Amino acid sequence: MSALGLAHLTALELSPPELAREAASAGFGAIGLRVHPAMAGGVAYPIRTGSWAQRELRTILASEGVRLNEIEFIQLTPGLDIAAFAPLLEAGAELGASAVTVSGDDSDHVRLTATFAALCDLAGEFDLRVDLEFMRWRVVGTLAQAEAIVRQAGRPNGAMLVDALHLSRSGGAPGDLAAVPGELLRAAQLCDAAATQPQTDTDAITEAREGRLPSGEGALPLAALLRALPSDAALSVELPMRGLDARARIATAYSATRRLLDSLPPREAPATSRSMSRPTTQGPVRA
């Protein structure tokens, strides 16, 4: 079982070393890193193989007992230069990452599928999985659309990331995962949210970046989602909340999610605390 991870968006103002230390202090066993901006001008912390920053981060991850779960975020847009991402993928893999998260942002379905397949081929050279995340305001906005891209690309390291908020806001439900092969569901992000659906995509973006709730404090069917996921899917928490400083945000993200997981029947609760699943030199299970 994978250790519970902390998505970087929860505290994007923290540098990778700061995020690793705060995550470990709160109880997380893994982190994700925003190494490429999710939008033009967005915050990101690029890493480079052999750099002092990479060596420092590797030391910190090891000393804190935290592993790097995923790197993010690549927008699959028209004309994307896939080869240009090789240094980023190499640096992430050397830090122990098992996946890179991407979004679908090309309205040409055939071209987008080819781009996803090409990135999978490049990522495979570094033993990385490519997780396609759907969001209602992007071209690939639903579970069905993401599954179609991954299936048609036909790459063994191609999969999907299911965010609890995005599944709900795109009109999906945990039951929709029943028809998806387990090998395509390799990662999930947890948070909670109000029952009311955002009226516009702009409202949905604002909610995703500022208005999420701690797990168990909203109306999302999180227990059902966890039951629907493969037992070895990588779990992380994405909880960017206004009104709390980074340390409090991270502590809240862990404690709320831990309560949710502890409330599940034993056979359903993944081993997510660092005391239950410590990183090993073998790394996480890959698709």
Side-chain angles (χ1 to χ4, degrees), residues 223-257:
L225 175 61
L226 289 164
R227 287 194 297 270
L229 290 167
S231 61
D232 60 348
L235 297 180
S236 62
V237 185
E238 189 165 75
L239 188 63
M241 292 178 63
R242 279 188 170 183
L244 293 177
D245 64 25
R247 176 172 292 182
R249 225 177 300 144
I250 292 170
T252 298
Y254 182 80
S255 61
T257 307

Side-chain angles (χ1 to χ4, degrees), residues 82-98:
I82 295 296
F85 289 98
L88 180 149
L89 298 177
E90 180 182 17
E94 288 187 357
L95 287 170
S98 58

Side-chain angles (χ1 to χ4, degrees), residues 4 213-217 222 237 239 250-262:
L4 182 62
L213 298 175
S215 299
E217 297 186 14
L222 297 180
V237 185
L239 188 63
I250 292 170
T252 298
Y254 182 80
S255 61
T257 307
R258 184 69 264 169
R259 284 194 298 271
L260 169 68
L261 295 170
D262 287 345

Side-chain angles (χ1 to χ4, degrees), residues 61-74:
L61 289 171
S63 64
E64 295 290 347
V66 172
R67 65 175 176 79
L68 177 59
N69 184 46
E70 80 280 352
I71 55 175
E72 56 176 26
F73 193 87
I74 299 176

Side-chain angles (χ1 to χ4, degrees), residues 85-189:
F85 289 98
L88 180 149
L89 298 177
E90 180 182 17
E94 288 187 357
L95 287 170
S98 58
V100 55
T101 307
V102 306
S103 62
D105 295 285
D106 185 349
S107 58
D108 185 320
H109 180 89
V110 173
R111 184 173 58 201
L112 177 57
T113 302
T115 300
F116 180 80
L119 183 60
C120 285
D121 291 342
L122 178 62
E125 296 179 16
F126 304 103
D127 201 18
L128 291 172
R129 193 178 67 243
V130 181
D131 289 342
L132 178 57
E133 182 177 8
F134 57 92
M135 306 172 202
R136 88 177 220 186
W137 61 85
R138 296 186 183 271
V139 175
V140 176
T142 68
L143 174 69
Q145 290 172 330
E147 183 182 359
I149 294 292
V150 176
R151 280 183 179 273
Q152 290 166 24
R155 296 303 192 268
N157 62 331
M160 292 183 289
L161 184 156
V162 179
D163 182 298
L165 181 69
H166 299 322
L167 180 65
S168 167
R169 291 349 189 192
S170 63
D176 298 337
L177 303 182
V180 181
E183 61 267 22
L184 301 188
L185 298 171
R186 306 311 308 141
Q189 289 178 334

Side-chain angles (χ1 to χ4, degrees), residues 1-5 29-30 67 69 186 226 229-235 258 261 265-280 283-286:
M1 295 292 183
S2 296
L4 182 62
R67 65 175 176 79
N69 184 46
R186 306 311 308 141
L226 289 164
L229 290 167
S231 61
D232 60 348
L235 297 180
R258 184 69 264 169
L261 295 170
R267 66 181 182 86
E268 297 174 349
T272 52
S273 70
R274 290 193 295 140
S275 61
M276 297 168 68
S277 179
R278 295 184 181 275
T280 70
V285 176
R286 295 179 171 87

